[in-house]
């Protein structure tokens, strides 16, 4: 449950992650393979959103969307080089 709250908190601060994502995809330190995997994850979820809980269940229906989006963002942060994470205050 604690992991889920961390993911939600991460998403609530998404606006602070935008500069990080821009630097991540522009960075020469990040390998092409990592960039492609990240793009595929983002595009794959945008095109084929997998719903464990249907969205018509109001708040509960969006919880799985929040969890998947948070997981993708955390994956990207985890794969980023240490200097890039330090620059944006995203140290683990």
């Amino acid at each position: 449950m604690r992991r889920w709250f961390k993911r939600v908190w991460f998403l609530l601060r998404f606006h602070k992650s935008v500069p990080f994502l821009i630097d991540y995809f522009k960075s020469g330190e990040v390998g092409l393979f990592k960039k492609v995997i990240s793009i595929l994850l983002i595009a794959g979820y945008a095109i084929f959103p997998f719903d464990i809980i249907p969205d018509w269940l109001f708040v509960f229906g969006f919880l799985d969307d929040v969890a998947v989006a948070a997981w993708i963002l955390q994956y990207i942060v985890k794969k980023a080089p240490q200097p890039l994470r330090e620059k944006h205050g995203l140290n683990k």
Side-chain angles (χ1 to χ4, degrees):
M1 190 68 153
R2 181 178 170 180
R3 180 181 288 169
W4 185 84
F5 283 118
K6 288 175 94 174
R7 288 182 177 161
V8 170
W9 181 248
F10 186 78
L11 276 182
L12 291 174
R13 297 177 307 142
F14 177 76
H15 64 283
K16 293 182 180 181
S17 298
V18 172
F20 164 77
L21 290 172
I22 291 169
D23 285 350
Y24 178 84
F25 287 108
K26 286 184 174 181
S27 176
E29 296 178 50
V30 179
L32 180 62
F33 182 74
K34 289 180 184 178
K35 290 178 185 179
V36 169
I37 293 295
S38 300
I39 289 171
L40 288 175
L41 285 171
I42 293 168
Y45 188 69
I47 294 169
F48 304 109
F50 177 71
D51 279 336
I52 296 170
I53 303 168
D55 288 341
W56 56 266
L57 289 174
F58 191 54
V59 174
F60 299 109
F62 295 105
L63 292 178
D64 63 334
D65 296 328
V66 168
V68 171
W71 179 82
I72 291 170
L73 288 172
Q74 285 182 336
Y75 171 82
I76 293 171
V77 169
K78 190 163 112 176
K79 296 299 178 184
Q82 186 66 25
L84 188 59
R85 283 187 269 155
E86 287 174 1
K87 176 181 175 185
H88 293 279
L90 299 170
N91 292 329
K92 295 271 177 178

